[in-house]
Amino acid sequence: MKKQLIILVITALHIMLLGCSEAKKDPQNEFNHLSQAPIDLGVISSDAATVAFLNGGLVTVSDVRTTEVKHQFKLHNHTKVSGISLSQDNKLLLVSFDTQLSVWDLNKNSLVGQFTVAGHSEFAKISQVAIYANPMCVLVGMTDGTLNLIDFENNLTKQAKLHEARISHLEMGEHRQLVMTAGHDGQVKLSYIDSLSPKYSYSLSKRVTSAATGLRNEILFVSDALNEQVLLRPFSNMSEPIKLVYRERFRWFRAAALSPNGEYLATGSSKYWWTLWDANNGREIDAFAIESATSTAMILDMHFSKDNILTTLSSDGIVEFWDINTLASTQH
């Protein structure tokens, strides 16, 4: 009887860990070490050519292919860094703290300025940031659900209370017409950039742990902290969300990216692996183990190029390049 019980327990554990144990490692996959020490935060540029990351009190901007360090800035602010962002032309770097923003001009290798932002609540702090150039503007999500837009060209600021809790994700579409926000209130929204009024919203029962949007906001991915992960097409006739299909009871999604053509979704877990999905039906294509230097390695950011090359950045300071067309064609 005891032997049978042990077998049942082992079988149950195997089923629970199935997704992790099935992650494949491609020995031919290209990767680069950008840092010899673990990194706290990191972002991949929109062209996937540059990475900015935080290690201790130092922010480093490196070339992902050559690993050359382009810029390094020592942070003198003693409060915790809450976010890092690179503009789409790789000319501006933004670092946020509790309520303060610091912006560097990477061409001039100099600090442009520092700014203070606030939410509706006097206790609100910065939770998410994004910076854009040509013209320059900054999006700032707050822990009380407030979104701030700073338009430097027109010397204008806008503010709206879009969420009832911390904004955990934000991103502006390719044509700067809509901004996607998601928060700990379980809401994901697309809002007009000129008025910050919502155009589309969808609710999950738990806080949002990962979210991504297509270049033109034609597709959204959002997942909560339990077992609801859906693909949404806000402006199509497909009113029903597409749920991700997997065998485990639940999965934790920490990072996400959608391919430019909307065909594929990549999600990062809280462990050392990521998953490729068919965005048309929510079915899993395969899972892949990342290159790691520590047992706690996980993906901090991931980005698709227009050629369907996925770039991933891990907490070990390792950047990897994945040919999605090849991986999808060899699906099992």
Side-chain angles (χ1 to χ4, degrees):
M1 181 66 181
K2 288 183 178 179
K3 184 177 180 181
Q4 290 177 330
L5 182 60
I6 292 172
I7 292 172
L8 286 172
V9 170
I10 292 173
T11 302
L13 286 172
H14 175 73
I15 292 172
M16 289 175 65
L17 299 174
L18 188 60
C20 183
S21 64
E22 284 192 343
K24 296 180 178 180
K25 182 62 190 170
D26 181 0
Q28 303 301 318
N29 195 52
E30 183 184 356
F31 66 90
N32 288 326
H33 285 260
L34 300 181
S35 172
Q36 296 304 311
I39 62 178
D40 304 311
L41 290 172
V43 293
I44 302 167
S45 64
S46 60
D47 62 0
T50 305
V51 164
F53 59 89
L54 173 70
N55 186 314
L58 190 68
V59 176
T60 302
V61 181
S62 295
D63 185 291
V64 299
R65 293 289 180 178
T66 66
T67 72
E68 175 191 0
V69 175
K70 295 182 174 181
H71 310 275
Q72 280 189 325
F73 303 103
K74 183 69 176 178
L75 302 178
H76 300 292
N77 193 322
H78 296 293
T79 58
K80 183 180 179 181
V81 173
S82 57
I84 300 175
S85 180
L86 284 165
S87 62
Q88 77 280 8
D89 61 359
N90 296 329
K91 293 181 179 180
L92 298 171
L93 169 70
L94 170 68
V95 177
S96 64
F97 305 91
D98 282 348
T99 58
Q100 191 177 63
L101 306 171
S102 295
V103 180
W104 282 268
D105 183 323
L106 297 181
N107 281 347
K108 298 179 180 179
N109 205 45
S110 62
L111 183 68
V112 174
Q114 296 178 315
F115 316 92
T116 300
V117 294
H120 277 216
S121 165
E122 62 177 308
F123 303 107
K125 296 180 180 180
I126 298 170
S127 57
Q128 282 290 320
V129 291
I131 189 168
Y132 300 88
N134 306 315
M136 178 179 170
C137 70
V138 172
L139 294 171
V140 185
M142 309 294 291
T143 54
D144 68 344
T146 301
L147 177 67
N148 292 293
L149 169 66
I150 307 172
D151 182 343
F152 288 88
E153 182 182 42
N154 298 308
N155 196 24
L156 178 67
T157 60
K158 301 174 188 175
Q159 186 181 79
K161 185 80 159 54
L162 294 181
H163 296 267
E164 296 304 316
R166 170 192 292 265
I167 292 178
S168 54
H169 299 81
L170 61 80
E171 186 176 346
M172 190 154 54
E174 184 179 40
H175 299 303
R176 297 199 186 192
Q177 296 174 342
L178 297 171
V179 56
M180 182 273 286
T181 58
H184 283 191
D185 58 355
Q187 296 273 325
V188 58
K189 296 184 178 182
L190 290 174
S191 302
Y192 292 106
I193 198 67
D194 54 353
S195 63
L196 299 186
S197 59
K199 176 179 175 62
Y200 173 86
S201 64
Y202 185 85
S203 298
L204 301 179
S205 57
K206 304 290 182 181
R207 65 184 177 91
V208 174
T209 61
S210 64
T213 179
L215 289 176
R216 297 173 181 82
N217 306 120
E218 75 286 358
I219 182 171
L220 297 176
F221 169 74
V222 61
S223 69
D224 72 3
L226 189 57
N227 58 4
E228 191 173 4
Q229 302 91 23
V230 293
L231 287 152
L232 307 165
R233 297 189 184 274
F235 312 120
S236 77
N237 295 325
M238 293 175 56
S239 57
E240 290 296 319
I242 298 173
K243 296 183 179 181
L244 297 192
V245 181
Y246 48 87
R247 289 167 288 187
E248 301 93 325
R249 285 186 59 194
F250 63 87
R251 285 194 190 179
W252 178 267
F253 295 79
R254 194 181 187 280
L258 285 157
S259 64
N261 61 8
E263 293 293 315
Y264 301 109
L265 166 71
T267 59
S269 70
S270 58
K271 302 293 184 181
Y272 59 89
W273 54 288
W274 67 275
T275 306
L276 181 65
W277 309 83
D278 186 329
N280 294 303
N281 54 33
R283 295 191 178 278
E284 180 177 343
I285 294 174
D286 219 331
F288 304 92
I290 62 173
E291 186 71 24
S292 59
T294 66
S295 60
T296 57
M298 59 183 176
I299 292 174
L300 298 179
D301 196 18
M302 50 202 328
H303 176 79
F304 271 100
S305 73
K306 292 185 178 180
D307 297 325
N308 267 3
I309 301 297
L310 178 72
T311 304
T312 59
L313 172 67
S314 79
S315 56
D316 282 346
I318 298 175
V319 64
E320 291 185 75
F321 313 98
W322 311 81
D323 187 334
I324 299 303
N325 293 330
T326 300
L327 296 180
S329 66
T330 57
Q331 61 179 298
H332 62 270

PDB file of all heavy atoms in Angstrom, residues 45-61:
ATOM      1  N   SER A  45      15.806  46.720 -26.516  1.00  0.00           N
ATOM      2  CA  SER A  45      15.347  47.823 -27.358  1.00  0.00           C
ATOM      3  C   SER A  45      14.365  47.327 -28.414  1.00  0.00           C
ATOM      4  O   SER A  45      14.284  46.130 -28.701  1.00  0.00           O
ATOM      5  CB  SER A  45      16.533  48.513 -28.033  1.00  0.00           C
ATOM      6  OG  SER A  45      17.185  47.622 -28.918  1.00  0.00           O
ATOM      7  N   SER A  46      13.641  48.250 -29.018  1.00  0.00           N
ATOM      8  CA  SER A  46      12.605  47.880 -29.992  1.00  0.00           C
ATOM      9  C   SER A  46      13.185  47.270 -31.260  1.00  0.00           C
ATOM     10  O   SER A  46      12.484  46.557 -31.982  1.00  0.00           O
ATOM     11  CB  SER A  46      11.750  49.101 -30.348  1.00  0.00           C
ATOM     12  OG  SER A  46      12.547  50.125 -30.900  1.00  0.00           O
ATOM     13  N   ASP A  47      14.466  47.527 -31.551  1.00  0.00           N
ATOM     14  CA  ASP A  47      15.106  46.883 -32.703  1.00  0.00           C
ATOM     15  C   ASP A  47      15.937  45.670 -32.284  1.00  0.00           C
ATOM     16  O   ASP A  47      16.615  45.054 -33.114  1.00  0.00           O
ATOM     17  CB  ASP A  47      15.969  47.877 -33.479  1.00  0.00           C
ATOM     18  CG  ASP A  47      17.112  48.447 -32.648  1.00  0.00           C
ATOM     19  OD1 ASP A  47      17.244  48.075 -31.457  1.00  0.00           O
ATOM     20  OD2 ASP A  47      17.878  49.267 -33.177  1.00  0.00           O
ATOM     21  N   ALA A  48      15.873  45.337 -30.990  1.00  0.00           N
ATOM     22  CA  ALA A  48      16.589  44.188 -30.432  1.00  0.00           C
ATOM     23  C   ALA A  48      18.099  44.260 -30.663  1.00  0.00           C
ATOM     24  O   ALA A  48      18.782  43.241 -30.668  1.00  0.00           O
ATOM     25  CB  ALA A  48      16.035  42.877 -30.976  1.00  0.00           C
ATOM     26  N   ALA A  49      18.626  45.453 -30.828  1.00  0.00           N
ATOM     27  CA  ALA A  49      20.066  45.616 -31.038  1.00  0.00           C
ATOM     28  C   ALA A  49      20.785  46.016 -29.761  1.00  0.00           C
ATOM     29  O   ALA A  49      22.003  45.854 -29.650  1.00  0.00           O
ATOM     30  CB  ALA A  49      20.319  46.677 -32.108  1.00  0.00           C
ATOM     31  N   THR A  50      20.032  46.516 -28.795  1.00  0.00           N
ATOM     32  CA  THR A  50      20.611  47.078 -27.581  1.00  0.00           C
ATOM     33  C   THR A  50      19.852  46.577 -26.359  1.00  0.00           C
ATOM     34  O   THR A  50      18.650  46.317 -26.427  1.00  0.00           O
ATOM     35  CB  THR A  50      20.555  48.621 -27.629  1.00  0.00           C
ATOM     36  OG1 THR A  50      21.188  49.079 -28.833  1.00  0.00           O
ATOM     37  CG2 THR A  50      21.260  49.246 -26.442  1.00  0.00           C
ATOM     38  N   VAL A  51      20.573  46.448 -25.267  1.00  0.00           N
ATOM     39  CA  VAL A  51      19.965  46.073 -23.985  1.00  0.00           C
ATOM     40  C   VAL A  51      20.437  47.055 -22.923  1.00  0.00           C
ATOM     41  O   VAL A  51      21.617  47.433 -22.902  1.00  0.00           O
ATOM     42  CB  VAL A  51      20.351  44.634 -23.587  1.00  0.00           C
ATOM     43  CG1 VAL A  51      20.055  44.375 -22.125  1.00  0.00           C
ATOM     44  CG2 VAL A  51      19.612  43.622 -24.437  1.00  0.00           C
ATOM     45  N   ALA A  52      19.519  47.482 -22.063  1.00  0.00           N
ATOM     46  CA  ALA A  52      19.868  48.293 -20.896  1.00  0.00           C
ATOM     47  C   ALA A  52      19.527  47.481 -19.654  1.00  0.00           C
ATOM     48  O   ALA A  52      18.441  46.902 -19.569  1.00  0.00           O
ATOM     49  CB  ALA A  52      19.106  49.612 -20.903  1.00  0.00           C
ATOM     50  N   PHE A  53      20.460  47.418 -18.700  1.00  0.00           N
ATOM     51  CA  PHE A  53      20.196  46.620 -17.514  1.00  0.00           C
ATOM     52  C   PHE A  53      20.823  47.244 -16.269  1.00  0.00           C
ATOM     53  O   PHE A  53      21.776  48.031 -16.339  1.00  0.00           O
ATOM     54  CB  PHE A  53      20.693  45.181 -17.694  1.00  0.00           C
ATOM     55  CG  PHE A  53      22.154  45.029 -17.979  1.00  0.00           C
ATOM     56  CD1 PHE A  53      23.085  44.903 -16.951  1.00  0.00           C
ATOM     57  CD2 PHE A  53      22.619  45.001 -19.297  1.00  0.00           C
ATOM     58  CE1 PHE A  53      24.429  44.746 -17.215  1.00  0.00           C
ATOM     59  CE2 PHE A  53      23.973  44.833 -19.571  1.00  0.00           C
ATOM     60  CZ  PHE A  53      24.884  44.712 -18.528  1.00  0.00           C
ATOM     61  N   LEU A  54      20.255  46.859 -15.134  1.00  0.00           N
ATOM     62  CA  LEU A  54      20.672  47.375 -13.833  1.00  0.00           C
ATOM     63  C   LEU A  54      21.404  46.292 -13.065  1.00  0.00           C
ATOM     64  O   LEU A  54      20.918  45.167 -12.937  1.00  0.00           O
ATOM     65  CB  LEU A  54      19.445  47.838 -13.044  1.00  0.00           C
ATOM     66  CG  LEU A  54      19.676  48.250 -11.591  1.00  0.00           C
ATOM     67  CD1 LEU A  54      20.445  49.563 -11.522  1.00  0.00           C
ATOM     68  CD2 LEU A  54      18.340  48.374 -10.848  1.00  0.00           C
ATOM     69  N   ASN A  55      22.561  46.649 -12.546  1.00  0.00           N
ATOM     70  CA  ASN A  55      23.338  45.756 -11.696  1.00  0.00           C
ATOM     71  C   ASN A  55      23.841  46.582 -10.518  1.00  0.00           C
ATOM     72  O   ASN A  55      24.739  47.411 -10.679  1.00  0.00           O
ATOM     73  CB  ASN A  55      24.504  45.141 -12.469  1.00  0.00           C
ATOM     74  CG  ASN A  55      25.245  44.099 -11.644  1.00  0.00           C
ATOM     75  OD1 ASN A  55      25.559  44.325 -10.486  1.00  0.00           O
ATOM     76  ND2 ASN A  55      25.528  42.968 -12.253  1.00  0.00           N
ATOM     77  N   GLY A  56      23.224  46.351  -9.334  1.00  0.00           N
ATOM     78  CA  GLY A  56      23.578  47.185  -8.194  1.00  0.00           C
ATOM     79  C   GLY A  56      23.150  48.619  -8.452  1.00  0.00           C
ATOM     80  O   GLY A  56      22.017  48.893  -8.793  1.00  0.00           O
ATOM     81  N   GLY A  57      24.068  49.553  -8.343  1.00  0.00           N
ATOM     82  CA  GLY A  57      23.757  50.955  -8.604  1.00  0.00           C
ATOM     83  C   GLY A  57      24.262  51.435  -9.941  1.00  0.00           C
ATOM     84  O   GLY A  57      24.434  52.644 -10.159  1.00  0.00           O
ATOM     85  N   LEU A  58      24.489  50.504 -10.877  1.00  0.00           N
ATOM     86  CA  LEU A  58      25.043  50.853 -12.181  1.00  0.00           C
ATOM     87  C   LEU A  58      24.101  50.428 -13.294  1.00  0.00           C
ATOM     88  O   LEU A  58      23.654  49.280 -13.339  1.00  0.00           O
ATOM     89  CB  LEU A  58      26.397  50.167 -12.364  1.00  0.00           C
ATOM     90  CG  LEU A  58      27.255  50.574 -13.557  1.00  0.00           C
ATOM     91  CD1 LEU A  58      27.763  52.012 -13.376  1.00  0.00           C
ATOM     92  CD2 LEU A  58      28.433  49.622 -13.713  1.00  0.00           C
ATOM     93  N   VAL A  59      23.775  51.360 -14.196  1.00  0.00           N
ATOM     94  CA  VAL A  59      22.980  51.052 -15.378  1.00  0.00           C
ATOM     95  C   VAL A  59      23.911  50.959 -16.577  1.00  0.00           C
ATOM     96  O   VAL A  59      24.696  51.880 -16.837  1.00  0.00           O
ATOM     97  CB  VAL A  59      21.903  52.119 -15.644  1.00  0.00           C
ATOM     98  CG1 VAL A  59      21.157  51.824 -16.942  1.00  0.00           C
ATOM     99  CG2 VAL A  59      20.912  52.157 -14.495  1.00  0.00           C
ATOM    100  N   THR A  60      23.828  49.844 -17.304  1.00  0.00           N
ATOM    101  CA  THR A  60      24.694  49.594 -18.446  1.00  0.00           C
ATOM    102  C   THR A  60      23.866  49.459 -19.717  1.00  0.00           C
ATOM    103  O   THR A  60      22.812  48.815 -19.704  1.00  0.00           O
ATOM    104  CB  THR A  60      25.510  48.303 -18.245  1.00  0.00           C
ATOM    105  OG1 THR A  60      26.284  48.416 -17.054  1.00  0.00           O
ATOM    106  CG2 THR A  60      26.427  48.043 -19.431  1.00  0.00           C
ATOM    107  N   VAL A  61      24.333  50.052 -20.800  1.00  0.00           N
ATOM    108  CA  VAL A  61      23.710  49.906 -22.116  1.00  0.00           C
ATOM    109  C   VAL A  61      24.721  49.191 -23.005  1.00  0.00           C
ATOM    110  O   VAL A  61      25.836  49.683 -23.204  1.00  0.00           O
ATOM    111  CB  VAL A  61      23.331  51.265 -22.726  1.00  0.00           C
ATOM    112  CG1 VAL A  61      22.670  51.075 -24.090  1.00  0.00           C
ATOM    113  CG2 VAL A  61      22.393  52.031 -21.797  1.00  0.00           C
TER     114      VAL A  61
END
